């Protein structure tokens, strides 16, 4: 049994070739596809019929091909807070994406189609999102941060701490951050502790400080 075996997925993608190909790819790797649909209205109906664990949603879908998928994702999360959302698109839409993440970043992912180089990376991101984690493409993080620099609530962080926090926003573990920055995992843990302290995120019983720190980063 793999991590994907118990995960139920709905796919919303207007391209029939990509939609069917993605569905088959996920079925081959143990996921259960509840439905695969082509527009936002059908996505809403599919979720209501059979609530999945996670929805893979393209941003631009019929009828206008602007941000129908992203707005549908926001509405679905408000109605079903436990539903994981993995945006899978060619585009970065900063305004509504920031809104989606700011409301609750647990179980949210945003990957760019052209930048997913390996199927295993996509599968890993989908499992992470279905489990309540985050999975953000670095380019998405860059554009979200660039679009929100009107205020700077992270001014107390050092450049290295901001770098660590940016990697946290991508969904990286401490071990993965250490590999990326070519430092020890202990050094990363120290940076993370400093980030929590500087952002006034005390230890709590549920301890979702990592998600809260990412939210501060995206809202800054």
């Amino acid at each position: 049994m793999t991590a994907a075996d118990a995960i139920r997925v709905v796919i919303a993608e207007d391209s029939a070739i990509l939609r069917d190909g993605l569905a088959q790819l996920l079925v081959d790797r143990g996921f259960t596809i509840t439905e695969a649909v082509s527009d936002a209205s059908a996505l809403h109906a599919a979720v209501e019929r059979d609530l999945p664990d996670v929805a893979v949603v393209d941003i631009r879908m019929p009828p206008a091909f602007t941000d129908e998928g992203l707005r549908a994702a926001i509405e679905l999360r408000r109605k079903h807070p436990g539903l994981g959302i993995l945006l899978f698109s060619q585009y970065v839409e900063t305004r509504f994406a920031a809104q989606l993440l700011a409301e609750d970043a647990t179980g949210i992912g945003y990957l760019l189609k052209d930048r997913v180089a390996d199927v295993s990376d996509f599968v890993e991101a989908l499992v992470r999102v279905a489990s309540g984690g985050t999975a953000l493409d670095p380019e998405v993080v860059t554009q979200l941060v660039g679009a929100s620099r009107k205020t700077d609530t992270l001014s107390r962080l050092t450049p290295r701490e901001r770098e660590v926090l940016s990697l946290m926003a991508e969904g990286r573990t401490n071990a993965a951050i250490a590999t990326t920055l070519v430092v020890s995992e202990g050094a990363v843990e120290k940076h993370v502790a400093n980030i929590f302290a500087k952002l006034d995120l005390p230890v709590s019983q549920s301890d979702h400080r990592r998600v809260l720190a990412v939210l501060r980063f995206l809202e800054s």
Side-chain angles (χ1 to χ4, degrees), residues 94-191:
T94 56
R95 182 163 64 96
F96 285 116
Q99 181 182 343
L100 178 65
L101 286 156
E103 292 185 0
D104 184 359
T106 58
I108 296 291
Y110 195 151
L111 301 180
L112 298 179
K113 293 176 181 177
D114 293 342
R115 289 168 55 87
V116 176
D118 195 297
V119 171
S120 63
D121 292 338
F122 178 83
V123 170
E124 179 186 346
L126 187 57
V127 171
R128 190 188 311 155
V129 169
S131 303
T134 57
L136 303 180
D137 186 281
E139 180 61 24
V140 172
V141 173
T142 297
Q143 293 201 34
L144 285 171
V145 172
S148 61
R149 279 180 174 161
K150 296 175 183 176
T151 60
D152 187 8
T153 59
L154 305 180
S155 57
R156 288 178 287 176
L157 301 185
T158 66
R160 176 62 92 179
E161 287 164 355
R162 289 181 69 94
E163 193 173 10
V164 169
L165 186 50
S166 177
L167 292 169
M168 288 168 59
E170 294 171 20
R172 308 283 190 94
T173 64
N174 285 359
I177 293 172
T179 299
T180 299
L181 299 181
V182 195
V183 297
S184 69
E185 192 169 346
V188 173
E189 290 172 357
K190 182 177 179 180
H191 287 312

Side-chain angles (χ1 to χ4, degrees), residues 10-11 31 67 71 85 123-124 150-151 172 214:
V10 63
I11 298 170
F31 294 86
D67 52 21
R71 286 187 285 111
I85 298 288
V123 170
E124 179 186 346
K150 296 175 183 176
T151 60
R172 308 283 190 94
V214 169

Side-chain angles (χ1 to χ4, degrees), residues 68-114:
E68 291 85 355
L70 185 45
R71 286 187 285 111
I74 293 172
E75 293 170 15
L76 286 170
R77 279 282 289 202
R78 287 173 179 167
K79 192 168 185 180
H80 304 284
L83 174 65
I85 298 288
L86 177 58
L87 300 171
F88 191 45
S89 179
Q90 292 176 305
Y91 312 97
V92 180
E93 208 297 338
T94 56
R95 182 163 64 96
F96 285 116
Q99 181 182 343
L100 178 65
L101 286 156
E103 292 185 0
D104 184 359
T106 58
I108 296 291
Y110 195 151
L111 301 180
L112 298 179
K113 293 176 181 177
D114 293 342

Side-chain angles (χ1 to χ4, degrees), residues 17-90:
I17 293 175
L18 182 55
R19 182 175 65 248
D20 294 346
L22 185 57
Q24 188 59 57
L25 180 152
L26 293 178
V27 167
D28 290 345
R29 284 159 179 78
F31 294 86
T32 296
I33 305 301
T34 59
E35 287 194 52
V37 301
S38 61
D39 58 61
S41 296
L43 171 61
H44 279 287
V47 171
E48 294 305 321
R49 276 192 296 270
D50 191 2
L51 183 64
D53 300 304
V54 60
V56 178
V57 183
D58 192 8
I59 288 177
R60 301 186 179 183
M61 291 193 293
F65 294 95
T66 54
D67 52 21
E68 291 85 355
L70 185 45
R71 286 187 285 111
I74 293 172
E75 293 170 15
L76 286 170
R77 279 282 289 202
R78 287 173 179 167
K79 192 168 185 180
H80 304 284
L83 174 65
I85 298 288
L86 177 58
L87 300 171
F88 191 45
S89 179
Q90 292 176 305

